[in-house]
Amino acid sequence: MNRFIPALLSFFGFIHSQSSFGQTPADSILFTQANWKKTEVRPGLTWQEAHFDGLFRAKQQVNLLIFKQRPRRLKLAFASAGDSLKPTSWFGQTHGAVAALNGTFFDVKKGGSVDLIKIDRHVIDTTVYTPNKPLSEHQQAAITLRRNRMKLVFGGNNPGWDQRLKAPNVMVTGPLLMQNGQRHPLLKNAFNDNRHPRTCACITRDKRVILLTADGRNANAYGLSLPELTSLMQWLGCRDAINLDGGGSTTLWIRGQPDNGVVNYPSDNKQWDHLGERPVSNVLLLLEK
């Protein structure tokens, strides 16, 4: 079995939680025992991809980028386009990155993130609140970077919690999917429960970081609900996991790969190819030290 896909542990312990979302134990076996195609992008950085004909009773396409916490040869960073929007591949190429993953939610008409972005202690965008309404789920958690270490933080429903974070690099996003090895509660709504392309980041129990894209909106890949995405993160051995912007934004770019480096199947052009990138406001980068 591939060393980066953990063996199925506590198998029967998953059955109860899966049955609530229409999943079966067979899904976990299919996922963890898949014939993953593995590429070593750089020493310590592995890209894995797999296609499934019947995961959650649907076709699915999943990409993983896997590396150790605090990688010695790589630097984790956020990047923002300010008030403009640029494809994820543009960010990767412009910053000379090894890899780039689309980031958090943004204003598709005006540009700029609608969630707080702080880069090297400089606040680029602040979280857009709706007065007299509770925070959206994507405003209640964050990815922080400090000393090249990723941390996933849950802030809750208190406006301004994100501005008090002391980490020099902050990207507010969500919903949070897992916390301390447990599934985090999710609201019942269309965004969470319907299937879409998804982007996710997690920290595993053995101190690895996994960046994931799951394609969707196509006959070749239906996409995932957030409960289904959470199950994938469980099966990958994640301790903490967080959702990022998905849908047409979902893009994973890797330097040196064909098709301008885009390795998943972005859905904005409604074609099963690598050309359908949606311009985004911000990304997560892996840079060479």
Side-chain angles (χ1 to χ4, degrees):
M1 184 178 294
N2 194 304
R3 63 185 291 262
F4 290 113
I5 306 298
L8 191 58
L9 302 176
S10 302
F11 174 73
F12 292 103
F14 289 140
I15 294 178
H16 177 74
S17 63
Q18 291 168 9
S19 64
S20 302
F21 305 112
Q23 301 162 33
T24 70
D27 289 316
S28 57
I29 295 173
L30 178 65
F31 185 74
T32 56
Q33 296 185 358
N35 183 23
W36 291 83
K37 178 183 176 182
K38 185 176 76 170
T39 303
E40 187 177 44
V41 179
R42 294 287 188 280
L45 177 63
T46 301
W47 163 40
Q48 295 185 190
E49 60 177 329
H51 181 80
F52 302 89
D53 285 330
L55 183 62
F56 308 127
R57 301 181 180 88
K59 292 184 177 182
Q60 305 288 352
Q61 180 77 22
V62 179
N63 281 272
L64 309 174
L65 204 57
I66 306 171
F67 53 95
K68 289 183 179 180
Q69 272 277 42
R70 302 184 72 176
R72 290 189 296 175
R73 294 183 174 91
L74 299 169
K75 178 184 177 182
L76 289 160
F78 299 135
S80 169
D83 291 334
S84 64
L85 301 174
K86 300 290 185 181
T88 298
S89 60
W90 177 91
F91 282 99
Q93 293 161 0
T94 299
H95 292 275
V98 176
L101 182 76
N102 71 286
T104 191
F105 299 81
F106 58 93
D107 190 321
V108 296
K109 294 182 179 179
K110 299 178 181 179
S113 173
V114 297
D115 300 322
L116 184 140
I117 298 287
K118 182 168 64 172
I119 300 175
D120 295 334
R121 303 192 184 279
H122 177 62
V123 175
I124 308 295
D125 293 300
T126 56
T127 301
V128 178
Y129 300 116
T130 302
N132 303 317
K133 287 190 176 182
L135 298 184
S136 299
E137 284 181 292
H138 67 82
Q139 299 174 328
Q140 297 183 23
I143 302 172
T144 67
L145 304 177
R146 181 198 293 270
R147 298 188 181 96
N148 211 32
R149 181 184 179 90
M150 177 185 290
K151 186 176 180 180
L152 307 185
V153 179
F154 181 64
N157 193 26
N158 296 307
W161 70 269
D162 49 353
Q163 298 179 33
R164 295 187 288 272
L165 292 173
K166 295 182 179 180
N169 297 282
V170 177
M171 177 182 285
V172 171
T173 188
L176 193 68
L177 303 178
M178 295 187 66
Q179 187 175 30
N180 297 323
Q182 301 297 317
R183 299 177 77 110
H184 196 268
L186 290 168
L187 296 176
K188 294 287 293 180
N189 55 43
F191 177 84
N192 293 350
D193 296 338
N194 292 341
R195 285 176 167 169
H196 298 286
R198 301 289 186 178
T199 303
C200 182
C202 100
I203 301 166
T204 68
R205 291 186 293 270
D206 62 353
K207 298 182 180 179
R208 296 183 185 272
V209 174
I210 299 178
L211 307 179
L212 176 149
T213 61
D215 294 311
R217 299 178 180 171
N218 191 281
N220 294 295
Y222 279 58
L224 301 172
S225 69
L226 288 191
E228 290 169 341
L229 177 60
T230 304
S231 290
L232 297 196
M233 307 322 284
Q234 271 190 314
W235 301 336
L236 288 168
C238 296
R239 185 190 70 233
D240 302 304
I242 196 167
N243 181 67
L244 291 101
D245 189 18
S249 300
T250 290
T251 305
L252 177 60
W253 175 90
I254 299 174
R255 186 206 296 175
Q257 296 302 315
D259 300 295
N260 198 34
V262 176
V263 299
N264 73 309
Y265 293 84
S267 63
D268 244 23
N269 65 349
K270 298 179 173 61
Q271 301 295 318
W272 188 246
D273 58 29
H274 303 282
L275 305 177
E277 282 188 88
R278 174 182 294 177
V280 298
S281 175
N282 52 78
V283 298
L284 174 64
L285 297 173
L286 282 173
L287 306 169
E288 287 180 317
K289 285 187 176 179

